[in-house]
Every structure is written in structure tokens, then in C-alpha cells.
Amino acid sequence: DAGVTQSPTHLIKTRGQQVTLRCSPKSGHDTVSWYQQALGQGPQFIFQYYEEEERQRGNFPDRFSGHQFPNYSSELNVNALLLGDSALYLCASSLVSAAQGSGFGQGTRLTVV
Amino acid sequence: GENVEQHPSTLSVQEGDSAVIKCTYSDSASNYFPWYKQELGKRPQLIIDIRSNVGEKKDQRIAVTLNKTAKHFSLHITETQPEDSAVYFCAASIGGGADGLTFGKGTHLIIQP
């Protein structure tokens, strides 16, 4: 969805480092969801934020954490990076009451070396 | 948690023929089933979706069918064109459009000229 923006578009980090990815939702949306898409796989749900709190969480370790700000933008933080964290990280926004799924931002390609 | 199986992993059809991709889900509480198309190097794009109170939905050359009893849903593309070549993902969620999605592993659709 053209309205969801993510930064940066590409990032290279070293094992053990920490990374922060950012997402600005489409105007008017109040809910932000984060997904991890490994190469050749479908996206996997990490977590969702609504009203600045984690509303839902997928099966990801505590190294993955997030935050939502009063303007509804969100950050995804990953600590102690592993090679296996290399993936495309996608952000999607919606209204919490939405009947239809929302679109994704263009994603952040994270490479851990 | 929810588990979504998608078949086939690769599908090659002649241009102009129809293509069918099938998915099954495990959680009978799931009530929202979107389909995404992802071209190489791009973000997944929502192409069609269906809710559990509807058995079939059509949008031009694409249609989705849902069988709640059997817990499976399918994507049908008619009169395939070269631009239909992409990876297609099915997904399911319990709470509707805003909730975290569980994705299938994807189907690489190849349209042969």
C-alpha cells in the first residue's frame, strides 16, 4: 500500500548487534503489524501494536520487541542479531476494526553478516 | 495456533488457461482469508479476500472459493496472462482484516507463452 512507509530500505548488520526498523502507517490507520519474510517463504507475523501497546504476538523470541508512538508510527527492534534474522521485514497498517486486510509497506531488507 | 498449507508450490500453465491454487487451514475460528501476489523484489499485494460468511467472491479474472466445513479455500485465475506470473500467498486470520495473518508458503505461478 502506497500509504505505508518504512525505513530504511536496506540495512547490513553484524551478528550480535541491535537494529531498529521504522514504519509510518497509512494516514488514518491506528494499528501497525510487523512481519518477517525469509527468502522463499511466506511472511510470518511478529506482532501488532494498537494504542501504543502490543495487541497480538506471533511465535518470535523476546529479542524482537516493538513500540508504537502517539502518532501511530512504530518501531521494530531486534537485539543480539543472528544470521537467521536476515530477511525482508514488512509493516502493514489498518484500522483495528477493519474488515479487510491492509497493504504492506515496501519493506526493509535486513542482512546480518 | 493456526496452520495454513498451500499447494502446489510451483504451477506452470499455458497462457490463456486457468490456474487454481489451494489452501487448507487448521483453526475453525479463522474467518478472514486474503490472497496476496508478490512479484520478484516487491512487496506482497492484496488481490482478493473472502470472509467466512461468503462462499465465493469474484473480481474480473480472479475468484476465491471457501469451504468452511472442509477448511479449505482456493484461488482461481482464468484467462491467464504473462503478467500473472508471480508468487501467490494465501493467508488466514481469526479476528478479521486487522488481525495477524498466518500465511501459506506460497505458489510460484509461471505463465508459459
Side-chain angles (χ1 to χ4, degrees):
Chain A
D1 187 296
V4 180
T5 58
Q6 293 184 241
S7 64
T9 54
H10 296 83
L11 202 52
I12 300 175
K13 288 287 189 178
T14 304
R15 267 183 306 175
Q17 285 189 317
Q18 178 263 347
V19 69
T20 298
L21 311 181
R22 296 176 176 82
C23 174
S24 293
K26 183 177 181 178
S27 179
H29 285 179
D30 57 11
T31 303
V32 174
S33 300
W34 287 93
Y35 291 81
Q36 179 195 67
Q37 186 177 23
L39 199 61
Q41 301 294 318
Q44 282 193 287
F45 176 65
I46 303 174
F47 45 54
Q48 182 183 83
Y49 276 82
Y50 170 66
E51 290 189 338
E52 302 180 47
E53 292 196 356
E54 186 181 285
R55 178 173 176 262
Q56 292 181 336
R57 189 178 182 94
N59 188 26
F60 277 78
D62 292 344
R63 298 187 298 108
F64 290 77
S65 63
H67 188 76
Q68 185 179 35
F69 299 93
N71 67 353
Y72 306 116
S73 66
S74 177
E75 290 182 347
L76 163 65
N77 301 293
V78 187
N79 293 323
L81 285 167
L82 304 174
L83 296 180
D85 295 331
S86 295
L88 179 67
Y89 288 85
L90 295 161
C91 170
S93 72
S94 67
L95 287 169
V96 72
S97 58
Q100 182 179 59
S102 55
F104 290 100
Q106 80 278 17
T108 294
R109 173 72 63 186
L110 173 65
T111 302
V112 182
V113 297
Chain B
E2 175 64 281
N3 182 51
V4 175
E5 300 281 344
Q6 182 172 348
H7 299 280
S9 57
T10 303
L11 179 59
S12 180
V13 302
Q14 290 293 126
E15 182 179 348
D17 288 349
S18 295
V20 181
I21 302 170
K22 299 180 179 180
C23 290
T24 60
Y25 60 100
S26 61
D27 194 333
S28 57
S30 289
N31 65 2
Y32 177 68
F33 307 92
W35 286 87
Y36 288 83
K37 175 184 180 181
Q38 187 173 30
E39 297 175 346
L40 191 63
K42 296 189 177 180
R43 74 192 82 177
Q45 298 270 14
L46 177 67
I47 57 172
I48 195 168
D49 57 6
I50 192 168
R51 299 191 66 85
S52 59
N53 59 348
V54 175
E56 183 174 357
K57 184 177 179 180
K58 190 173 181 180
D59 182 4
Q60 298 181 21
R61 295 187 298 108
I62 62 173
V64 57
T65 58
L66 171 65
N67 183 325
K68 283 182 60 180
T69 303
K71 289 190 284 188
H72 68 70
F73 55 114
S74 300
L75 177 71
H76 305 252
I77 305 174
T78 59
E79 301 173 10
T80 53
Q81 301 169 4
E83 54 265 35
D84 294 330
S85 293
V87 179
Y88 291 80
F89 294 98
C90 62
S93 76
I94 293 174
D99 279 17
L101 295 165
T102 300
F103 281 81
K105 292 186 182 300
T107 295
H108 186 192
L109 177 61
I110 301 165
I111 308 301
Q112 302 279 8

